[in-house]
Amino acid sequence: MIRRIVVPVEVYRGHITEATREALVAARTVGNGVGEVVAYVYGEPPAEGTDVLELADRIIVLEDGQVGTPVAMAQAKLLRERIASSDVDLVLVGSSSWGWDVAPLLAGFLSAPLVANCQVIQHAEDVLKATCRICAGKLLVDVEITNKPTVILLLPGSYAHREVQPGKGVMERERVPASDWDARVEFKGWLEPEREDIDITQEEILVTVGRGIGQQENLELVEDLAKTLGGAVCGSRPVVDQGWLPPTRQVGKSGMIVKPKLYLAIGISGAPEHVEGMKDAELIVAINRDEQAPIFDVAHYGIAADLFDVIPALKEALVARRQEA
Ligand SMILES: Cc1cc2nc3c(=O)[nH]c(=O)nc-3n(C[C@H](O)[C@H](O)[C@H](O)COP(=O)(O)OP(=O)(O)OC[C@H]3O[C@@H](n4cnc5c(N)ncnc54)[C@H](O)[C@@H]3O)c2cc1C
């Protein structure tokens, strides 16, 4: 039986992150209303969006001048004793950059196993199992969890659409003595890249172009189609490497992980490094003249034909349908 699940809460610029919300949803799902879900908040919770915390049964606010400073080493240390002394089965952390900093440190401090890239956690007949992605997402592996506590890093999106009942939402406050803040680095401030482009992770329709487009001039065709669909254009790595699209538009292992409602892959072979970034799209349609292309293995619909024939016909059909409506 699960007794207790701990979720360290990540606050980024005044907001509790989506990664934390998913970790809390996962905790409620795994705890199944029996195990207690405890959220640890570093410093005063933000003014807005704290309803997320109601997914926990207990919300423990750690108070002191420094605890809210995002220094993973010190924040992980603050939880070490609290977790070690309170019958915790699982510690669930979202896979944000902060999560990737905090979770391994916490596992190290607790001498606990770390299970990373976890997609689903199941608890049946007293066996706790995590399903995790390995080999760049090509394989799934089931890991049986026998150690208590175990620290789990959850992949983003894994629990995004689950509906769960809120917890008891009881808030407690705990003062942290200044001497417990053991940071060996100093947080100076956030540095963010200047964003001069759209964020393709937030787009619902993506029209993605690969090397099959041949040359930069042909991108116009794809941009035109994207406009008709109301979507954004992005690309595989060769297209970005050629400078035909900016790096902000690259999908894949070394680009962005996207989950749009529609992903139209045009002239893309479907290399594992590309597929890793798009395979969770809700609907994948691929156009490739090679009917053996691996992209068809992940596509829901495939068109094995020349893209220069398909795109104009597709656009024409879309315009005609719009006029009918
Ligand atoms: C460490 C590492 C990280 C990487 N990260 C990424 C990444 O983030 N994103 C990424 O995309 N790649 C990444 N790659 C590269 C990846 O391995 C592939 O080389 C790349 O995805 C191939 O891009 P492509 O499908 O556009 O090109 P290709 O593999 O050359 O495929 C082009 C496809 O277009 C089809 N085609 C050609 N002409 C037409 C036509 N007229 N009509 C229809 N179809 C046509 C062909 O049949 C072919 O299938 C990475 C590689 C490494 C090693």
Side-chain angles (χ1 to χ4, degrees):
M1 195 182 84
I2 301 266
R3 293 157 303 175
R4 189 160 293 123
I5 304 176
V6 161
V7 176
V9 173
E10 177 187 15
V11 176
Y12 177 68
R13 297 203 154 178
H15 292 280
I16 295 173
T17 59
E18 175 61 17
T20 295
R21 192 190 69 80
E22 282 195 43
L24 285 165
V25 171
R28 287 236 72 77
T29 312
V30 183
N32 201 18
V34 180
E36 184 187 42
V37 177
V38 182
Y40 276 98
V41 187
Y42 297 98
E44 195 53 37
E48 285 172 32
T50 42
D51 46 340
V52 168
L53 294 175
E54 283 163 21
L55 289 165
D57 296 304
R58 278 200 296 148
I59 304 145
I60 303 179
V61 178
L62 301 175
E63 292 181 323
D64 164 78
Q66 296 232 56
V67 289
T69 316
V71 177
M73 170 76 79
Q75 290 186 321
K77 268 189 194 157
L78 288 184
L79 294 197
R80 176 174 46 188
E81 278 313 309
R82 290 172 170 85
I83 290 173
S85 60
S86 59
D87 271 352
V88 173
D89 299 86
L90 294 176
V91 181
L92 300 189
V93 190
S95 294
S96 58
S97 335
W98 180 82
W100 270 102
D101 274 353
V102 166
L105 287 164
L106 202 44
F109 291 145
L110 293 164
S111 297
L114 173 72
V115 179
N117 294 323
C118 173
Q119 211 168 264
V120 189
I121 309 166
Q122 281 167 315
H123 185 226
E125 291 165 14
D126 229 18
V127 177
L128 199 52
K129 217 170 57 178
T131 304
C132 306
R133 281 196 200 164
I134 57 167
C135 297
K138 285 205 95 180
L139 297 175
L140 291 176
V141 63
D142 281 341
V143 181
E144 197 175 317
I145 296 167
T146 50
N147 194 83
K148 297 184 175 185
T150 290
V151 182
I152 296 187
L153 263 166
L154 280 173
L155 279 173
S158 304
Y159 283 82
H161 304 295
R162 298 254 184 143
E163 295 288 331
V164 286
Q165 293 295 319
K168 295 183 187 124
V170 177
M171 193 175 280
E172 299 167 18
R173 291 179 179 273
E174 231 182 279
R175 282 217 79 75
V176 176
S179 55
D180 282 7
W181 181 251
D182 184 11
R184 294 181 200 178
V185 291
E186 190 187 338
F187 174 73
K188 294 275 191 187
W190 298 107
L191 281 181
E192 280 187 14
E194 281 176 31
R195 196 180 286 276
E196 289 167 355
D197 195 18
I198 55 157
D199 179 359
I200 60 170
T201 65
Q202 302 303 312
E203 295 289 322
E204 292 195 340
I205 298 176
L206 291 178
V207 180
T208 311
V209 65
R211 188 152 34 200
I213 196 70
Q215 51 190 4
Q216 187 169 17
E217 291 66 42
N218 296 335
L219 271 178
E220 208 175 302
L221 202 61
V222 180
E223 273 155 9
D224 200 27
L225 179 64
K227 209 163 160 192
T228 311
L229 280 165
V233 176
C234 42
S236 65
R237 180 155 147 180
V239 170
V240 171
D241 284 350
Q242 302 261 23
W244 300 348
L245 285 173
T248 41
R249 303 283 181 117
Q250 183 181 319
V251 175
K253 189 184 188 73
S254 46
M256 301 288 179
I257 309 284
V258 296
K259 288 180 190 173
K261 288 195 170 148
L262 170 66
Y263 191 86
L264 185 53
I266 301 175
I268 291 177
S269 58
E273 294 84 4
H274 183 80
V275 170
E276 192 177 336
M278 47 64 79
K279 67 173 180 306
D280 292 327
E282 278 179 42
L283 182 69
I284 301 169
V285 181
I287 305 169
N288 195 305
R289 67 180 174 195
D290 173 9
E291 59 186 48
Q292 303 295 326
I295 193 72
F296 291 131
D297 297 340
V298 288
H300 300 99
Y301 294 96
I303 306 168
D306 194 300
L307 67 90
F308 296 103
D309 296 332
V310 178
I311 296 180
L314 191 56
K315 192 194 155 192
E316 202 177 306
L318 284 164
V319 171
R321 176 168 286 203
R322 198 155 291 165
Q323 279 164 356
E324 274 168 31

